[in-house]
Amino acid sequence: PIPRARYPLAVTRTTLVTGASGFLGAHVVAAAVARSQREATMSEPLGPLVVGQARGPSLLAPRFTSPRDAAQWIECDLVDGLEGLLARVRPSEIVHCAAMSRAADCEADPEAAQAINVDVPSQLAVWAAEAGARLVHVSTDLVFGAEDAPPGGFPEGTSPAPVSEYGRTKLAGERAALASAPEATIARLPLLYGNSAGRGLGASDSLLEAVERGERPALFVDEWRTPLEVSNAAAALVELLDFDAPGIVHLAGPDRVTRHALGLAVLAAMGLGPEAARAEIVEAFQADHEVGAPRPRDVSLNASRAREALDVELLGVEAGLQRSL
């Protein structure tokens, strides 16, 4: 199990969230700010400083934090500017969310995928180990895929076998991070859904935006995942900062569902009846669609280790949709 002993805390703490403007990263910033506010006391009126990194000025907008100055925001390209960012912020703890996460983009530009998904976490881990900083590195269920998940999902000890360039570079990033920072935590996440602040990101908002445009999205009935609501995932990642949990941890929902079944659940949560929901989407099979990158059939994760250790409850689809919608 994940050790229950808390990670040694620095006297003065700064939490750095990379990829802070992304679908997940924006929620991680909000969760880190909430944690900082909980830890503030009369004698120490400020909890840990939260710093969010984004690639460009147009992305430096706190979307889920209130008030707006609850976190600091820094523009920085991690491929070229990571060293300067770390020298400026000197974080005591890091949640590394930044990645090239679109599988088709990774297939089209493997050199760029290598740079952001492998080289950046490697450099970050070297710095964290030298500085004594806590590192939680976000990875993916797509490090699996060559074989279907066993009943109950892949546990942490399963040998990865990715089928896409995205999965291969994320796996290489995991290994590079642990090679330089053995005390780091690698948190593998599944398909995420939930509130993207109107940006059409994630499994649910992208579907709802497509339906609103009058489209009938094709969702696979032969692709199985263990999806997790994005703010729920963010809260779990921030809680992991407080644990001495080196190595791999799976964070995933308890429900194994197809992409099509998840789509029906999203539409049902919006008030559509079963027939109306089925009319809005198309039942599809992977073999019938070219999506720009190989797609595994079943990468369900077993997150029982995390569920036993964390205070944050990893929610099933129905509860997660209620939380997000």
Side-chain angles (χ1 to χ4, degrees):
I2 298 174
R4 291 186 177 273
R6 296 287 175 173
Y7 196 78
L9 299 179
V11 175
T12 302
R13 284 185 290 159
T14 298
T15 306
L16 172 64
V17 180
T18 67
S21 63
F23 179 43
L24 173 64
H27 285 276
V28 173
V29 169
V33 167
R35 167 178 174 256
S36 180
Q37 292 171 341
R38 287 194 303 270
E39 294 184 4
T41 65
M42 293 297 293
S43 59
E44 296 288 341
L46 297 177
L49 172 66
V50 179
V51 179
Q53 169 273 334
R55 291 192 312 275
S58 64
L59 301 176
L60 297 177
R63 299 178 184 276
F64 299 100
T65 52
S66 180
R68 289 178 62 85
D69 60 355
Q72 292 185 7
W73 297 79
I74 295 178
E75 176 189 353
C76 172
D77 185 323
L78 293 180
V79 173
D80 299 322
L82 179 59
E83 184 177 351
L85 174 70
L86 293 171
R88 176 179 175 182
V89 177
R90 300 293 302 177
S92 53
E93 52 191 26
I94 304 161
V95 183
H96 180 48
C97 301
M100 180 182 280
S101 57
R102 294 183 185 275
D105 292 345
C106 293
E107 296 292 329
D109 193 347
E111 290 186 3
Q114 168 76 24
I116 188 65
N117 291 348
V118 184
D119 297 344
V120 166
S122 177
Q123 296 165 21
L124 196 58
V126 168
W127 186 92
E130 293 176 349
R134 177 79 172 105
L135 172 62
V136 173
H137 170 65
V138 175
S139 190
T140 173
D141 56 0
L142 293 174
V143 299
F144 301 108
E147 297 182 358
D148 289 350
F154 289 114
E156 285 87 349
T158 307
S159 296
V163 298
S164 66
E165 189 65 20
Y166 172 61
R168 286 188 288 270
T169 56
K170 290 298 289 182
L171 177 59
E174 289 184 6
R175 291 171 171 170
L178 287 176
S180 296
E183 298 303 309
T185 297
I186 308 299
R188 290 177 180 153
L189 298 184
L191 179 70
L192 298 178
Y193 62 91
N195 184 2
S196 68
R199 293 181 289 169
L201 303 176
S204 56
D205 275 13
S206 60
L207 168 63
L208 294 173
E209 188 173 273
V211 169
E212 187 173 339
R213 291 194 300 264
E215 301 172 8
R216 291 189 69 220
L219 299 179
F220 295 127
V221 296
D222 57 349
E223 180 183 327
W224 298 82
R225 308 291 286 271
T226 42
L228 190 61
E229 192 272 326
V230 62
S231 69
N232 191 202
L237 289 169
V238 169
E239 187 179 351
L240 279 174
L241 287 172
D242 294 332
F243 277 84
D244 184 6
I248 308 293
V249 175
H250 288 175
L251 301 178
D255 297 331
R256 173 182 175 269
V257 298
T258 66
R259 292 296 301 267
H260 184 265
L262 178 61
L264 292 176
V266 170
L267 295 174
M270 296 299 294
L272 273 68
E275 292 304 315
R278 288 186 179 278
E280 295 289 354
I281 56 180
V282 176
E283 292 187 10
F285 294 88
Q286 289 184 350
D288 298 331
H289 289 264
E290 175 57 50
V291 292
R295 296 179 74 99
R297 205 182 79 91
D298 187 346
V299 289
S300 303
L301 296 179
N302 184 322
S304 57
R305 182 171 175 243
R307 280 196 292 272
E308 291 173 1
L310 299 179
D311 292 333
V312 171
E313 179 185 1
L314 301 178
L315 300 175
V317 171
E318 182 177 357
L321 287 170
Q322 290 176 353
R323 174 181 177 134
S324 67
L325 298 177

